[in-house]
Amino acid sequence: MTTERHIMSAFDRDLETVQALVVKMGGMVETAIHDAAIALETRDEELAEDVRRRDKAVDELELQINEEAARLIALRAPRATDLRTALTVIKISTILERVGDYAKNIAKRSHVLVHMPAVESSGMALRRMSQTVEGMMKDALDAYIQRDAALAADVRKRDLEVDQMYNALFREFLTYMMEDPRNITACMHLHFIAKNIERMGDHATGIAEQVIYLATGELPEDARPKSDSVTRATLNEGED
Amino acid sequence: MTTERHIMSAFDRDLETVQALVVKMGGMVETAIHDAAIALETRDEELAEDVRRRDKAVDELELQINEEAARLIALRAPRATDLRTALTVIKISTILERVGDYAKNIAKRSHVLVHMPAVESSGMALRRMSQTVEGMMKDALDAYIQRDAALAADVRKRDLEVDQMYNALFREFLTYMMEDPRNITACMHLHFIAKNIERMGDHATGIAEQVIYLATGELPEDARPKSDSVTRATLNEGED
C-alpha cells in the first residue's frame, strides 16, 4: 500500500507491521464505541462491563505501538516523509487510546443510569450520534491506510453534523431538567455521554487531519472551524 | 542539565534547544490557566478575550516543537534512551496544547457566564482548584527538566485532591440546580469549567507519568488509580 513512492524498503515493511497494529487497535476502538452505545440503549450491564474490561487491551496496544514505532525510527533512521509517517503512527495511537477511554467512560455511566428513570428518546438520539462517529472513525482509519486525503476531508465535514446533534441534545436535556428537577442527575450523565461522543468525533477529525498532513505535507488551514460557533446556551468546544 | 549520563553531545545540545521551547510553551499554558481563572472570578471579559487570543501562539509552538523534534530525530538518529527522550518531547507538547485548549474553553464560557446571575461561592472554589492545577503543571514541567521522578510522583498524588475538589463542586452544583431551575444553565457551564480544570490535573499527571517513564524506563504500575472510584452521583473519569 505504501509502495507507490519507491520499491518496498525495509522501512516500508516495518511500517506495514506497525500500521497493522494501528488498524487492529482501530477495530477494537470501533467495537467499543458500538458496544457502549448498545449497552446504554438496552441497559445491558454485562455488555457495559465488557466494554470497560476490554479497554485494558487497547491501552496495552498503544504502548506496544509506541515501542514498535520507536524501534522502527531507531533501526531505520528514516528522514523527511518517512519520519513524518512514523511519527504519525504515534499520534494516531494516542488518539485511539483516548477514544477508547471515552467509550469506557460511557459504559461506566450506563451502569449508573440503569438505576435511574429513563429519559425519553435520549437513548435513540445518542445511538444515532454514536453511529455517525463510529462511521467517521472507520473512514478516518481507512483514509489513513490508503493515504486518501479526499476521504479524510469528508470525515472532517461530517464532524459538523455531530456537533449539530450534540447542540440539539444539549438543549433537549436543559428542558427536561427545567421541567422536572428529578431528571437533573440522569440528564447530567446523559449530557456527559453526548459530550463524550461529540469529542470522539473531534478525535476522528484529528486522525483525518493527520492523514491530510501526511498526504499534503500541511495541516488544513481551517482546522477546527467550529470552535467559533459559540451561543449563549450551548458552547461547542472542540477542546480536545 | 542532561549531561550526567555522558559528555554533552550534539544530540544533547539539540535536545536542550527543543526542551527550552517546551518550557516556554509550559509557561504560556500556566499563564493561560491562571488568567482564565481570574477572568472567570472577576468577570473580566477583556482578560478572557486575551486568553482566547493567546492560544493561537500555543498551538503554533506545538507545531514548531514537533518539527524540531522530528528534525532532531532525523539528524541525530538517536537510539534507546535518547530516542525515548526525543519522543517524550512530542508527547508533552501534545498534552500542553490540549491544556491550552481547556484554558481557552474556560475563557469562552466565562464570556457566556457574564450574562447570567452569579452562583454563590463557585468562583472562589473554582479558583482554588485552578491554583492547585497550575502548581501541578509547574512542578510537572520542573520534574521533566530535572528528570525528577520523586517530584513527578508528588504531582500524581496531588491529582487526587483535585478529583476530590471536583466531586465536591459537582454535588454543590446539583443542589443549586435542584433548588432553582433558573440556575441550571449557569451551573451546566460552571460544571464544565470544573470538569475542564479536573482534566487539566489529569494532563499534568500525564506529564508526570512521562517523567517517571523517562527516569525509570517504566510507566507507574497503578497509573490512573482513581478511575475506579465511581459513585452514583459523581463519576470520576480520568478519561483523557
Side-chain angles (χ1 to χ4, degrees):
Chain A
M1 288 173 208
T2 57
T3 50
E4 275 174 44
R5 224 174 342 105
H6 49 66
I7 300 164
M8 191 82 160
S9 66
F11 172 82
D12 287 329
R13 276 198 310 275
D14 290 353
L15 181 68
E16 286 210 348
T17 308
V18 62
Q19 277 190 168
L21 290 177
V22 173
V23 171
K24 184 180 164 191
M25 190 176 173
M28 285 160 77
V29 169
E30 279 166 41
T31 307
I33 299 174
H34 182 82
D35 289 351
I38 299 284
L40 176 71
E41 197 184 6
T42 61
R43 301 184 155 227
D44 184 338
E45 290 209 76
E46 241 173 85
L47 185 57
E49 184 53 40
D50 220 42
V51 171
R52 294 176 65 170
R53 210 174 13 233
R54 277 181 281 157
D55 191 53
K56 256 202 165 24
V58 173
D59 290 353
E60 279 161 17
L61 205 44
E62 190 211 357
L63 287 180
Q64 195 192 337
I65 288 168
N66 280 354
E67 274 168 25
E68 298 278 340
R71 203 187 336 253
L72 170 68
I73 293 170
L75 197 67
R76 307 294 176 199
R79 310 241 157 160
T81 312
D82 283 348
L83 178 61
R84 199 164 63 194
T85 306
L87 292 174
T88 301
V89 166
I90 295 173
K91 290 255 175 199
I92 292 183
S93 68
T94 306
I95 293 176
L96 289 175
E97 190 272 335
R98 196 153 296 128
V99 174
D101 279 351
Y102 284 128
K104 183 176 73 176
N105 185 261
I106 291 173
K108 271 200 250 175
R109 286 186 196 277
S110 72
H111 279 300
V112 178
L113 282 162
V114 162
H115 303 281
M116 294 177 186
V119 176
E120 51 173 316
S121 83
S122 63
M124 246 174 56
L126 285 171
R127 182 130 85 97
R128 211 166 33 240
M129 204 175 150
S130 157
Q131 274 169 346
T132 306
V133 167
E134 198 187 322
M136 284 168 68
M137 192 57 75
K138 195 187 166 305
D139 287 348
L141 288 167
D142 283 349
Y144 167 60
I145 294 301
Q146 314 289 340
R147 306 288 188 263
D148 184 340
L151 184 57
D154 187 62
V155 169
R156 291 187 79 224
K157 214 161 54 193
R158 271 182 278 163
D159 195 37
L160 290 174
E161 276 171 54
V162 173
D163 290 344
Q164 280 161 6
M165 290 182 194
Y166 166 74
N167 287 341
L169 267 169
F170 180 92
R171 282 170 193 278
E172 206 179 313
F173 292 143
L174 275 186
T175 61
Y176 289 138
M177 288 195 273
M178 287 175 184
E179 265 165 38
D180 186 346
R182 282 168 300 182
N183 286 329
I184 288 179
T185 309
C187 279
M188 292 285 276
H189 285 295
L190 288 167
H191 176 217
F192 255 123
I193 289 174
K195 190 73 205 164
N196 281 348
I197 299 173
E198 190 260 345
R199 285 216 175 97
M200 287 176 176
D202 288 344
H203 283 304
T205 303
I207 294 177
E209 285 169 0
Q210 289 294 324
V211 173
I212 292 168
Y213 182 57
L214 270 187
T216 67
E218 276 176 31
L219 280 171
E221 216 4 90
D222 60 334
R224 310 285 153 88
K226 70 210 158 64
S227 57
D228 289 322
S229 64
V230 178
T231 71
R232 286 280 145 85
T234 68
L235 193 56
N236 218 330
E237 312 173 56
E239 86 258 63
D240 81 358
Chain B
M1 285 177 209
T2 57
T3 50
E4 274 175 44
R5 227 172 338 102
H6 49 66
I7 302 163
M8 191 82 160
S9 66
F11 172 82
D12 287 328
R13 276 197 310 275
D14 290 355
L15 182 67
E16 286 208 351
T17 309
V18 61
Q19 275 188 170
L21 290 177
V22 173
V23 171
K24 183 180 164 194
M25 190 178 174
M28 286 161 76
V29 168
E30 277 166 42
T31 308
I33 298 175
H34 183 83
D35 289 351
I38 300 283
L40 176 70
E41 197 185 4
T42 61
R43 298 184 158 227
D44 184 339
E45 288 208 78
E46 240 173 85
L47 185 57
E49 185 52 39
D50 219 42
V51 171
R52 294 177 65 171
R53 211 175 11 233
R54 278 181 281 159
D55 191 54
K56 256 199 167 23
V58 173
D59 291 354
E60 278 161 17
L61 205 45
E62 190 212 356
L63 287 179
Q64 195 193 338
I65 288 169
N66 280 354
E67 273 166 27
E68 297 278 341
R71 205 189 333 256
L72 170 68
I73 294 170
L75 196 67
R76 306 295 176 199
R79 310 241 157 161
T81 311
D82 283 348
L83 178 61
R84 200 164 63 195
T85 306
L87 292 173
T88 301
V89 167
I90 296 173
K91 290 253 176 203
I92 292 182
S93 68
T94 305
I95 292 176
L96 289 175
E97 189 273 334
R98 195 154 298 126
V99 174
D101 279 351
Y102 284 126
K104 183 177 74 176
N105 186 260
I106 291 172
K108 271 199 250 175
R109 286 186 196 276
S110 71
H111 278 301
V112 179
L113 282 162
V114 163
H115 303 280
M116 295 178 187
V119 175
E120 50 172 317
S121 83
S122 63
M124 246 175 57
L126 285 170
R127 182 130 86 98
R128 213 166 31 241
M129 204 173 149
S130 157
Q131 272 169 346
T132 307
V133 167
E134 198 187 322
M136 284 169 68
M137 192 59 73
K138 194 188 167 306
D139 286 349
L141 288 167
D142 283 350
Y144 168 61
I145 294 301
Q146 313 289 344
R147 306 287 188 264
D148 184 341
L151 184 57
D154 187 62
V155 169
R156 292 188 77 223
K157 214 161 55 192
R158 271 182 279 163
D159 195 38
L160 290 172
E161 276 171 54
V162 174
D163 290 344
Q164 280 160 7
M165 291 181 193
Y166 166 73
N167 287 341
L169 267 169
F170 180 92
R171 282 170 194 279
E172 206 178 313
F173 292 143
L174 275 186
T175 60
Y176 288 138
M177 288 196 271
M178 286 176 187
E179 265 165 38
D180 187 347
R182 283 168 299 183
N183 286 329
I184 288 179
T185 309
C187 279
M188 293 286 277
H189 285 296
L190 288 167
H191 176 218
F192 257 122
I193 289 174
K195 190 72 206 166
N196 282 348
I197 299 173
E198 190 261 344
R199 285 218 175 96
M200 287 176 176
D202 288 345
H203 284 302
T205 303
I207 294 177
E209 285 169 1
Q210 290 294 324
V211 173
I212 293 169
Y213 182 58
L214 270 186
T216 68
E218 275 176 34
L219 281 170
E221 216 3 90
D222 60 335
R224 310 287 152 86
K226 72 213 156 69
S227 59
D228 290 320
S229 65
V230 177
T231 70
R232 285 281 145 84
T234 66
L235 194 55
N236 218 329
E237 311 173 54
E239 86 257 59
D240 80 359

